[in-house]
């Protein structure tokens, strides 16, 4: 696990960065709008968790050190998505800040009202879903759809999912150290899945509403079908993985590196990483 500081320049990008699948691009854009709020929340919760894992044994030290690296990786993620999201606002989706205020309020309310074990379970729930979602970015299964995509936006998602895969054990270990109960873990998982889908749905419907202002009736009908297919395609790896994730013996350590993950990491590091920080020395 390493901290990488990438350079992505979105000045030449647009919301319609994926010509073969416009509705799928908007679904990813909707995820991108929620991400900075979610990841700031993850960092606050994980910093609090680290302060409660006080043991001087090797395992506690390792978990605290992993959390420090996790926080740095997530900080890079939300900074990059923040600049991508600014591009969306410039591109004509100027009501996004109103929706973002509602998203920010959700996370503020959680921090204010929920216990630390619940908050860590919520974070662990989100992080458990990034490996199944991420796989398609590495193993070639999305390559056909991504033909003709804006290379900068494509690289952003590949970089982010590659690091999500890399730090997949951190929230799981933190939850085990803080609480570990299966019922709370399951409750946090469903709670976060419902919250994230609801908020990404607000953004997605708005982005599509703006796009459809320029469409004919027939195009709108086609766009509705494409949107439905996009949501099903996006959700299906998570739905398939859910029974395994929710089983009492689940550990993200059981998940092997997907085919193409290391090659994706090497390409991203070659082309987009200007500097990387050694977590041990940071
Ligand atoms: Fe992230
Ligand atoms: Fe993450």
């Amino acid at each position: 696990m390493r901290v990488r500081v990438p350079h992505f320049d979105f000045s030449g990008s647009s919301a319609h960065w994926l010509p073969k699948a416009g509705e799928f691009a908007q679904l990813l854009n909707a995820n991108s709008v929620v991400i900075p709020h979610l990841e700031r929340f993850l960092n606050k919760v994980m910093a609090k968790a680290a302060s409660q894992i006080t043991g001087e044994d090797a395992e506690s030290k390792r978990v605290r050190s992993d959390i420090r690296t996790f926080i740095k990786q997530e900080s890079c993620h939300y900074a990059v998505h923040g600049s991508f999201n600014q591009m969306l606002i410039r591109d004509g989706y100027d009501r996004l800040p109103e929706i973002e205020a509602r998203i920010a309020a959700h996370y503020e309310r959680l921090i204010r009202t929920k216990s630390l074990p619940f908050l860590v379970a919520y974070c662990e729930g989100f992080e458990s879903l990034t490996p199944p979602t991420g796989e398609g970015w590495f193993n070639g299964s999305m390559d056909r759809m991504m033909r003709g995509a804006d290379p900068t936006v494509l690289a952003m998602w590949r970089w982010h999912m590659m690091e999500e895969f890399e730090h997949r054990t951190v929230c799981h270990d933190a939850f085990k150290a803080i609480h570990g109960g299966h019922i709370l873990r399951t409750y946090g998982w469903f709670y976060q899945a419902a919250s994230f889908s609801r908020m990404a749905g607000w953004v997605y419907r708005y982005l599509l509403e703006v796009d459809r202002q320029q469409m004919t009736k027939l195009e709108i009908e086609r766009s509705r079908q494409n949107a439905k297919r996009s949501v099903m395609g996006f959700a299906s790896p998570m739905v398939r993985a859910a029974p395994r994730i929710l089983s009492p013996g689940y550990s993200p350590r059981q998940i092997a590196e997907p085919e193409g993950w290391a090659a994706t990491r090497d390409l991203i590091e070659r082309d987009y990483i200007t500097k990387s920080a050694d977590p041990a020395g940071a």
Side-chain angles (χ1 to χ4, degrees):
M1 209 180 357
R2 294 174 49 204
V3 182
R4 304 172 184 85
V5 183
H7 56 91
F8 294 113
D9 176 4
F10 302 112
S11 56
S13 299
S14 101
H16 303 109
W17 56 272
L18 183 53
K20 273 183 175 288
E23 286 76 10
F24 190 73
Q26 290 291 33
L27 182 57
L28 292 174
N29 296 345
N31 277 267
S32 176
V33 171
V34 180
I35 279 171
H37 302 281
L38 165 73
E39 291 183 332
R40 282 191 174 87
F41 163 85
L42 294 177
N43 279 0
K44 280 183 198 158
V45 174
M46 294 306 282
K48 213 166 165 191
S51 76
Q52 302 292 311
I53 302 168
T54 52
E56 282 310 311
D57 55 294
E59 175 65 4
S60 302
K61 283 182 182 169
R62 184 192 62 74
V63 175
R64 285 198 299 271
S65 160
D66 282 355
I67 291 176
R68 280 196 295 274
T69 310
F70 172 94
I71 288 174
K72 288 174 189 159
Q73 285 196 339
E74 296 292 17
S75 301
C76 291
H77 299 174
Y78 68 65
V80 168
H81 281 274
S83 89
F84 177 83
N85 299 343
Q86 284 303 311
M87 176 281 288
L88 296 177
I89 297 170
R90 284 197 308 274
D91 210 16
Y93 303 90
D94 49 9
R95 283 188 41 223
L96 283 175
E98 285 168 41
I99 305 175
E100 286 194 64
R102 292 166 65 198
I103 297 169
H106 166 78
Y107 292 112
E108 279 158 22
R109 181 181 61 78
L110 288 183
I111 296 263
R112 223 178 32 245
T113 59
K114 301 289 185 186
S115 71
L116 181 63
F118 171 83
L119 296 173
V120 181
Y122 184 108
C123 297
E124 200 265 345
F126 175 77
E127 292 284 320
S128 75
L129 290 172
T130 53
T133 328
E135 225 173 292
W137 292 96
F138 317 124
N139 65 13
S141 61
M142 285 165 72
D143 284 2
R144 230 173 101 186
M145 178 169 59
M146 291 295 158
R147 235 176 261 159
D150 177 333
T152 310
V153 183
L154 186 57
M156 173 188 79
W157 281 108
R158 285 197 161 132
W159 156 76
H160 191 166
M161 297 322 292
M162 179 270 289
E163 291 197 345
E164 286 302 319
F165 195 87
E166 194 174 49
H167 71 217
R168 66 195 179 283
T169 58
V170 179
C171 289
H172 187 81
D173 290 347
F175 181 69
K176 259 172 78 180
I178 290 286
H179 187 279
H182 185 60
I183 294 171
L184 181 63
R185 181 174 178 267
T186 306
Y187 176 55
W189 190 91
F190 279 106
Y191 196 107
Q192 73 76 31
S195 309
F196 192 93
S197 327
R198 190 177 68 248
M199 293 185 291
W202 297 338
V203 185
Y204 192 36
R205 279 190 293 277
Y206 167 64
L207 297 173
L208 293 176
E209 181 193 307
V210 173
D211 287 352
R212 288 173 186 161
Q213 283 165 8
Q214 314 297 324
M215 291 183 189
T216 64
K217 260 188 167 173
L218 190 68
E219 285 169 336
I220 291 173
E221 193 37 52
R222 210 172 296 144
S223 166
R224 287 208 174 107
Q225 288 165 12
N226 289 340
K228 236 180 246 171
R229 265 199 295 274
S230 300
V231 170
M232 274 156 53
F234 186 74
S236 68
M238 294 185 263
V239 172
R240 278 200 304 273
R244 182 170 48 84
I245 292 170
L246 290 169
S247 72
Y250 167 80
S251 162
R253 285 186 175 77
Q254 298 157 345
I255 310 168
E257 282 178 7
E259 196 191 325
W261 179 83
T264 303
R265 178 200 57 202
D266 294 347
L267 276 176
I268 295 284
E269 287 187 342
R270 190 194 68 189
D271 296 341
Y272 292 96
I273 306 300
T274 38
K275 119 179 134 75
S276 64
D278 173 9

